[in-house]
Amino acid sequence: MGMTRRALLGSAVAVAAGAGTSAAADMGSAEIPVLWREFSRTPFTHPQIPYIGRAGFRGGAAHFPRRPAIIDVRDFGAMAGGTTDSAPAINRAIAAVGRAGGGTVTVPPGTFRIDDIIRVNRSNVTLKGAGSGRTTLYATKNLTELIGAYGSRYGGDKSGWSWAGGLIWLAPEARWNSLVAAIRAKAWPFEGWTGNRRDEWRTLTTVAPARQGSWTVTVADSSRLRPGSLVLLRLSDDPDHTLLEHMCGGGPGPDAYVWDDKTKLTSYVPYEWPVRIARVHGRQVTLERPLPLDVRPEWDPRLTTHVPELTGSGVEGLTLEAVETPQQPHLLDKGHNGVVLQCAYDCWVDDVTVRHVDNGFGLVAASACTLRRTHVTGRGAHHPYFCREGSHDNLVEDFTIEERTGPAPSGTQLHGINVEGLSSYNVWSRGDMRMGTFDSHRGLPFANVRTDITLNNNGRHGGDASAGPLFGARFTHWNIRVTNARAGLVRIDGLAPYSATVGIDEVREFDQIDVPDFAGDLHTRLELYGSPHTVRPRNLHAAQRAL
C-alpha cells in the first residue's frame, strides 16, 4: 500500500522478466510494451487488457491441498490388469471419503479398466493416481452407451457429447443426477448454475450501481450474506441489449449490431458470475475478485442462490485412455470424453493425460478452477480443451496438445483451446499446442487471455451464426509463437473490439479467414508485432499476479 506506482511497475516487470529463459534473452533485448505500463497504472479498468491476476483455484494458488489418504481403491475391489471393471469400486471409494468429510482416494500404479463414468461428486475429495505415466484408467465405453444419446436444445441432429460430459466428471451429485435424468428423458437441459431450466435460484439481495473493477458493492440487504459463501451475481439484458453491448466495449459498432436474431446468444443471458464473499460490513460487501462488468440498474443486478456447488475437489496423477476408435464426423461425437468440471468452484486437475478422446478437458459452468500440467494425446480430438456455458476466472497452465497419431478422418474438425457462451476472465498460459487453434467459438466470450504459448495454428474455430460475435471486449494475446505463420484467431487486432495483440510472430491470413463482427473503429491495439521473444513481461498472467 505504501509503494508508488513507479515502484509497483518496476517490481512487477522485474519478476516477469526474471522468468524468461536465457535462450529467449539471447534473441534480443527485452522490450516493455506501452500497454503494460498503462495496465500497471489501472489494472482493474484497462480498456483492452482484463485483470486476470486472481484466476484459478483459490485465486491462482501455487499448491493444491494435500489431504490425508483415506482409502486405496483396492480396498473396495479395484484391480489392476484390465480384466475387472474397477469403476464401481472407485466410485464407492469416492462416496465413502465424501461421507467422511473429505480426503484422498488413491489409485496405485497400473492399468484399471473402467466400464462406467468416474464421478467426483463430493466436495473436498481428491482422486489421486501415482502419476500420469504410472496410473491409467482404461475406459471401455462412451457416454452415449453409458447415459444415452444427447441432443441439442437448439435443435438439429448434433450430439451434445460433442461439447459436454466426461468419463471423469467432477460435478455435485444432485446436479449430475438432474442432468442425466433430463438427457434420458430427452428434455435437453441447460447445463449451468441455475438448473436444467435456469429456474433454480432465489434472490438474496439487490445490488446498487457499481463500476467494473470494483471489489466492493453496496447491497439493499446483507442479512443473508456470509463471508466465505458462494453467490451468483446475476445481470439481465434489457430490450436494447445494452448489457451485450457493454460486454463488447460499447460504442457505435456494438450499438449498430443486430442482436435480436442471435437467438442462441440471447439464450445465454442473464449473465451469471459466481464469486465468494470476502467481507460483509453493514451494506458493504467485499468480493474475492473485482467486478467483471459494470453493475447498472437497467440490468436488474442482484446476488442470488444457485445449485449447490462442488468445491475443494481435484483429480491428480493419472492417465485416462479411451478405447481407440476413429474420430466421429463433426458434432456427432459419441462421448469418448476426458475430464470435465461442471458447477465446480475452487477445484483442480493436475498431472493428468487424456488419450484417444473425442473431447479432452472441459469447463462447463465451472469457475475459479485450475487445470495444471494437462496433456491431450492420441488419435486426435474435436475439442482438446473446451470452456463454455458461462465459465469464468479459470486458469489452464502448462498444457500440451500433441500432434495426432493418425490422419484426421474425413468430415471431422479440430478446434483447440475453446471458449464460448459468455465465458470471461479465463487464462491459458504456458502452452505447447502442436495442433489446433485459439477457438473463440462465438457466443460472445469476453475478457479472456492467452499468453506464453507456442502454436502450430492448423485448427479451425466453430460457432453458429445465431450465437453472435466471436469476441467481446478485452481479449488479449500476449507472447504467442506461431510456428506456421497463420494469423487466424491469433492476430486479433482486426477482429476483436477493445483487444490487445502483443508480442506475436509475423503471420499472414490463409485457410479460415474471418471478418469483424462490428463496423467502425474496433479500438484495438497491436504492439511488438514480430517480436514474441523480446516482450517483457513474457507471461501476462504471472506479471499480473506479481502486481
Side-chain angles (χ1 to χ4, degrees):
M1 296 304 246
M3 295 181 70
T4 65
R5 285 177 173 173
R6 182 183 299 273
L8 185 68
L9 170 61
S11 64
V13 171
V15 168
T21 64
S22 58
D26 290 341
M27 299 191 69
S29 59
E31 297 188 59
I32 300 172
V34 173
L35 273 162
W36 174 251
R37 299 182 188 276
E38 292 175 359
F39 176 85
S40 300
R41 292 192 291 270
T42 59
F44 308 129
T45 57
H46 193 276
Q48 280 92 11
I49 299 178
Y51 175 72
I52 40 80
R54 295 279 296 165
F57 170 82
R58 292 186 182 171
H63 302 288
F64 303 120
R66 291 293 175 257
R67 298 192 177 93
I70 304 295
I71 288 174
D72 185 311
V73 296
R74 292 173 296 185
D75 298 337
F76 281 77
M79 295 179 61
T83 59
T84 300
D85 175 17
S86 292
I90 296 171
N91 286 328
R92 287 196 300 269
I94 292 169
V97 171
R99 287 193 298 269
T104 298
V105 175
T106 60
V107 189
T111 296
F112 294 80
R113 195 185 94 205
I114 56 171
D115 299 343
D116 202 352
I117 300 161
I118 301 302
R119 293 182 290 123
V120 180
N121 53 11
R122 314 281 177 136
S123 291
N124 302 312
V125 173
T126 304
L127 178 66
K128 184 177 179 62
S132 61
R134 302 183 67 201
T135 297
T136 296
L137 303 183
Y138 181 69
T140 63
K141 296 182 179 180
N142 58 55
L143 294 168
T144 301
E145 294 173 288
L146 295 170
I147 294 176
Y150 186 5
S152 169
R153 64 180 182 253
Y154 301 104
D157 60 355
K158 302 172 184 176
S159 167
W161 302 127
S162 300
W163 57 77
L167 292 166
I168 299 178
W169 201 330
L170 291 83
E173 174 78 0
R175 188 71 186 100
W176 192 86
N177 286 340
S178 69
L179 285 165
V180 170
I183 292 166
R184 287 176 171 161
K186 301 189 184 306
W188 314 129
F190 285 91
E191 297 158 319
W193 285 100
T194 49
N196 294 343
R197 294 184 298 275
R198 300 194 74 181
D199 58 359
E200 297 178 42
W201 61 275
R202 58 184 174 82
T203 298
L204 296 170
T205 183
T206 57
V207 183
R211 296 299 302 273
Q212 173 203 321
S214 300
W215 292 72
T216 299
V217 296
T218 301
V219 300
D221 178 8
S222 64
S223 63
R224 287 175 287 182
L225 305 179
R226 298 288 182 272
S229 63
L230 185 70
V231 297
L232 288 186
L233 172 66
R234 180 182 175 91
L235 300 177
S236 300
D237 204 8
D238 61 10
D240 293 328
H241 300 297
T242 60
L243 176 59
L244 296 176
E245 291 176 12
H246 176 54
M247 292 174 178
C248 299
D255 183 58
Y257 186 77
V258 177
W259 299 97
D260 284 331
D261 63 350
K262 309 303 186 296
T263 52
K264 189 171 184 178
L265 171 62
T266 53
S267 77
Y268 297 154
V269 287
Y271 175 77
E272 296 171 338
W273 182 61
V275 65
R276 287 200 195 280
I277 294 173
R279 183 171 182 262
V280 180
H281 183 70
R283 292 171 53 217
Q284 303 299 305
V285 177
T286 302
L287 309 174
E288 68 172 345
R289 289 178 173 82
L291 286 176
L293 294 164
D294 287 353
V295 172
R296 301 180 187 173
E298 56 265 37
W299 302 331
D300 189 23
R302 55 189 63 216
L303 300 180
T304 76
T305 62
H306 49 82
V307 298
E309 71 273 16
L310 183 78
T311 189
S313 293
V315 176
E316 302 179 359
L318 56 83
T319 292
L320 174 68
E321 181 172 345
V323 172
E324 186 173 3
T325 59
Q327 185 177 346
Q328 294 296 301
H330 189 226
L331 296 175
L332 297 178
D333 296 346
K334 299 292 187 183
H336 296 95
N337 293 351
V339 183
V340 165
L341 296 87
Q342 185 162 5
C343 296
Y345 195 94
D346 277 338
C347 293
W348 73 93
V349 177
D350 183 28
D351 182 28
V352 172
T353 295
V354 295
R355 180 177 293 118
H356 302 320
V357 293
D358 293 334
N359 301 281
F361 294 90
L363 297 157
V364 181
S367 293
C369 295
T370 295
L371 308 183
R372 182 177 295 157
R373 299 190 298 163
T374 54
H375 215 92
V376 181
T377 184
R379 51 83 157 162
H382 178 191
H383 296 96
Y385 291 82
F386 55 101
C387 178
R388 54 178 296 273
E389 204 80 4
S391 291
H392 315 291
D393 304 302
N394 297 294
L395 173 62
V396 181
E397 63 181 0
D398 301 308
F399 66 96
T400 301
I401 303 173
E402 290 194 1
E403 292 183 51
R404 62 189 312 135
T405 52
S410 176
T412 62
Q413 281 201 23
L414 163 67
H415 294 318
I417 51 175
N418 155 280
V419 61
E420 58 182 288
L422 301 185
S423 296
S424 62
Y425 293 87
N426 300 290
V427 183
W428 292 263
S429 169
R430 297 195 303 266
D432 180 6
M433 296 178 61
R434 301 168 198 175
M435 65 177 190
T437 194
F438 290 179
D439 175 32
S440 295
H441 208 91
R442 300 199 177 275
L444 192 55
F446 66 94
N448 296 285
V449 168
R450 289 104 168 211
T451 183
D452 196 6
I453 297 171
T454 300
L455 166 66
N456 178 29
N457 189 13
N458 63 359
R460 298 173 66 85
H461 78 77
D464 294 338
S466 65
L470 279 168
F471 300 95
R474 297 185 305 285
F475 254 83
T476 300
H477 292 171
W478 187 288
N479 185 12
I480 308 298
R481 288 87 57 185
V482 185
T483 61
N484 64 342
R486 180 178 171 222
L489 275 292
V490 175
R491 180 174 173 175
I492 56 174
D493 57 296
L495 290 175
Y498 289 91
S499 68
T501 306
V502 180
I504 71 166
D505 279 308
E506 290 189 14
V507 290
R508 65 186 187 277
E509 294 283 10
F510 60 89
D511 192 30
Q512 188 178 35
I513 300 174
D514 289 289
V515 298
D517 291 292
F518 305 111
D521 187 355
L522 294 177
H523 301 279
T524 63
R525 304 277 291 275
L526 177 69
E527 276 198 78
L528 298 183
Y529 179 53
S531 303
H533 297 287
T534 66
V535 62
R536 296 295 185 274
R538 288 178 55 81
N539 186 294
L540 184 61
H541 173 250
Q544 288 200 21
R545 285 193 57 75
L547 284 177

